[in-house]
Amino acid sequence: PGGSFMIGSPLDEPGRDEDEGPRRTLTIEPFWMGTTEVTHDVFSIFRDRSRDSDVRAEPGRSFDADAIARPSPPYEDPAHGMGGPGKPATGMTRIAALHFARWLSEKTGRMYRLPTEVEWEYACRAGHDDAFGLGVAYDGDPEAVMSLLSDRAWFDATSDGSLRDAGTRAPNDWGIRDLLGNAAEWTLQPYDPERYSSLVDGSSESASPGTSTRGRGVVRGGAFDDDLHRPRCADRFEETSAWKRRDPQVPKSRWWNTDSPHVGMRLVSPARPWSTDEITAYWDEVLGAN
């Protein structure tokens, strides 16, 4: 549902970083969000042309599977042996995630994209204003975190050091699972440490956000290998060069990171259906014409 919320974290929230403020009250339009991260099962159809087809969901509309820009073969397993059916798809770059969203939009005739940071945090909070979107105060006590998140999130104390099947933890109050932990999730715009300073208190976040994709990305939600301070609704984590540390290619792959098996994605879709022309225009602006 649409509504208003306060983005960012209070100054006394345990684990808080400086880029989580200043807090602003924003209004959000309604939107759909995937109940889990995008899984290996779905992403593999996009990355492997032999599994795709020329069939399009919209009757009478053509779809040329051979014209789709797809990931080249990765240098090594992007999931580091932790992936497979039922698991979140991980290890892709933000550009790869955007191309996947474009493919799914054109394949189905429904607009899909990465969430903005504002949309992601709004969904994580699910009408609450605490660190985990559960409506429960948090004072930083590790035992309290375990009590709050043991059935909600896969992080270092609960995951046994590995990605877990998507959707196997309890949902938040809006029915969304794994926003915290398991795989950290790409968001749409590049990282800006001063982003919240540029937001206007009381302003609206549109379901048709800006389309800049230049610069390092930012992921939200923490992952299976993070400590208890990372899986919070307000935490922001900037993409780093270490995520390509073992990639020997020059230039390095635009599709895959060799060292981010903890990074995946989740998609959103506007509440108002978009026309095919609107979808095409959006992706041509973001990624260029095929």
Side-chain angles (χ1 to χ4, degrees):
S4 297
F5 85 117
M6 186 173 287
I7 195 171
S9 59
L11 294 175
D12 61 351
E13 182 167 298
R16 183 187 190 274
D17 295 316
E18 289 187 6
D19 64 359
E20 296 175 24
R23 304 198 79 187
R24 296 284 192 257
T25 298
L26 303 174
T27 300
I28 307 295
E29 296 180 359
F31 62 95
W32 297 101
M33 174 176 267
T35 54
T36 70
E37 299 123 334
V38 171
T39 63
H40 165 90
D41 312 63
V42 178
F43 191 73
S44 63
I45 302 173
F46 163 66
R47 65 178 284 192
D48 184 352
R49 168 63 184 88
S50 68
R51 301 189 65 184
D52 199 2
S53 72
D54 289 327
V55 176
R56 183 172 181 152
E58 285 185 298
R61 302 287 299 192
S62 62
F63 181 79
D64 184 358
D66 287 325
I68 300 299
R70 300 179 193 271
S72 55
Y75 175 71
E76 59 180 29
D77 176 16
H80 291 202
M82 296 181 290
K87 302 288 180 61
T90 61
M92 78 292 292
T93 62
R94 185 164 58 108
I95 286 296
L98 290 167
H99 275 281
F100 168 78
R102 178 179 195 160
W103 166 80
L104 189 64
S105 300
E106 295 177 350
K107 184 84 171 172
T108 63
R110 184 178 183 92
M111 179 61 190
Y112 292 99
R113 58 170 171 79
L114 296 177
T116 65
E117 286 195 78
V118 175
E119 289 169 329
W120 191 97
E121 188 169 328
Y122 178 69
C124 183
R125 294 192 180 279
H128 302 295
D129 194 40
D130 59 290
F132 308 115
L134 299 176
V136 180
Y138 164 56
D139 62 6
D141 177 46
E143 291 186 6
V145 176
M146 286 299 298
S147 176
L148 289 170
L149 295 184
S150 61
D151 68 339
R152 299 274 181 167
W154 296 115
F155 59 108
D156 65 353
T158 61
S159 69
D160 197 26
S162 181
L163 283 169
R164 308 300 289 264
D165 285 351
T168 53
R169 284 314 212 199
N172 70 9
D173 284 355
W174 288 350
I176 308 174
R177 301 173 187 267
D178 295 332
L179 278 165
L180 299 179
N182 213 13
E185 301 171 13
W186 285 115
T187 52
L188 182 66
Q189 293 123 324
Y191 176 76
D192 177 359
E194 304 297 330
R195 183 177 301 282
Y196 293 2
S197 296
S198 68
L199 297 173
V200 178
D201 204 46
S203 62
S204 298
E205 170 78 355
S206 171
S208 304
T211 55
S212 172
T213 58
R214 294 182 179 276
R216 296 187 184 277
V218 55
V219 297
R220 303 294 296 254
F224 68 90
D225 56 352
D226 282 320
D227 66 23
L228 56 86
H229 290 309
R230 188 67 66 195
R232 293 179 298 111
C233 291
D235 185 79
R236 310 172 68 210
F237 195 84
E238 181 184 9
E239 177 184 4
T240 74
S241 58
W243 293 359
K244 289 186 179 294
R245 179 173 53 86
R246 291 181 292 174
D247 186 346
Q249 303 172 91
V250 179
K252 295 183 182 296
S253 173
R254 71 191 296 260
W255 295 105
W256 300 105
N257 292 324
T258 52
D259 299 273
S260 67
H262 57 291
V263 175
M265 63 173 149
R266 182 188 307 262
L267 300 185
V268 298
S269 182
R272 177 188 67 82
W274 285 23
S275 70
T276 299
D277 289 343
E278 287 177 306
I279 292 172
T280 299
Y282 177 91
W283 287 116
D284 283 353
E285 183 180 356
V286 174
L287 295 173
N290 277 333

